[in-house]
Amino acid sequence: MFNIIFKSATSITIEMDNKDVYYTNPYNVRLNGEVIAYNVDTNVYSIFGLQPNTEYILNINDDTIYFATDYEYVCLNVKDFGAKGDGVHND
């Protein structure tokens, strides 16, 4: 079994429900029926790039959780305001 420990408009983080600290038995992650990760062995796993205000089905092995990402009322790209975003400049 697993639990969602963080959810935003574009990502979620899950934690396996076990007594292990860092690692667990390998598992596959399916999102809406599509495998997005094979043989994950960490207790905590994050999924990024989700769409805001969207319903998803998350399967890990035989366990399923239905969830919806949060509503996002504004999304700004800092590059539209002059930031370089190149890892060199202090934006």
Side-chain angles (χ1 to χ4, degrees):
M1 188 64 181
F2 64 97
N3 299 300
I4 295 175
I5 59 173
F6 175 79
K7 181 174 61 99
S8 72
T10 59
S11 69
I12 65 162
T13 300
I14 60 136
E15 181 178 34
M16 300 307 291
D17 188 17
N18 61 31
K19 296 183 190 298
D20 296 328
V21 178
Y22 300 108
Y23 299 100
T24 188
N25 293 329
Y27 56 90
N28 295 334
V29 180
R30 290 182 179 269
L31 188 64
N32 291 344
E34 179 182 335
V35 176
I36 60 170
Y38 290 99
N39 296 321
V40 177
D41 65 352
T42 56
N43 267 344
V44 176
Y45 182 77
S46 296
I47 302 171
F48 300 100
L50 302 176
Q51 294 298 311
N53 199 29
T54 302
E55 294 182 357
Y56 289 95
I57 303 169
L58 180 63
N59 303 92
I60 294 182
N61 296 335
D62 294 328
D63 296 321
T64 302
I65 288 182
Y66 298 84
F67 72 94
T69 50
D70 295 342
Y71 175 77
E72 184 174 64
Y73 56 90
V74 65
C75 181
L76 302 174
N77 185 340
V78 295
K79 291 182 179 180
D80 293 341
F81 299 93
K84 300 278 186 213
D86 59 7
V88 174
H89 293 86
N90 186 4
D91 294 333

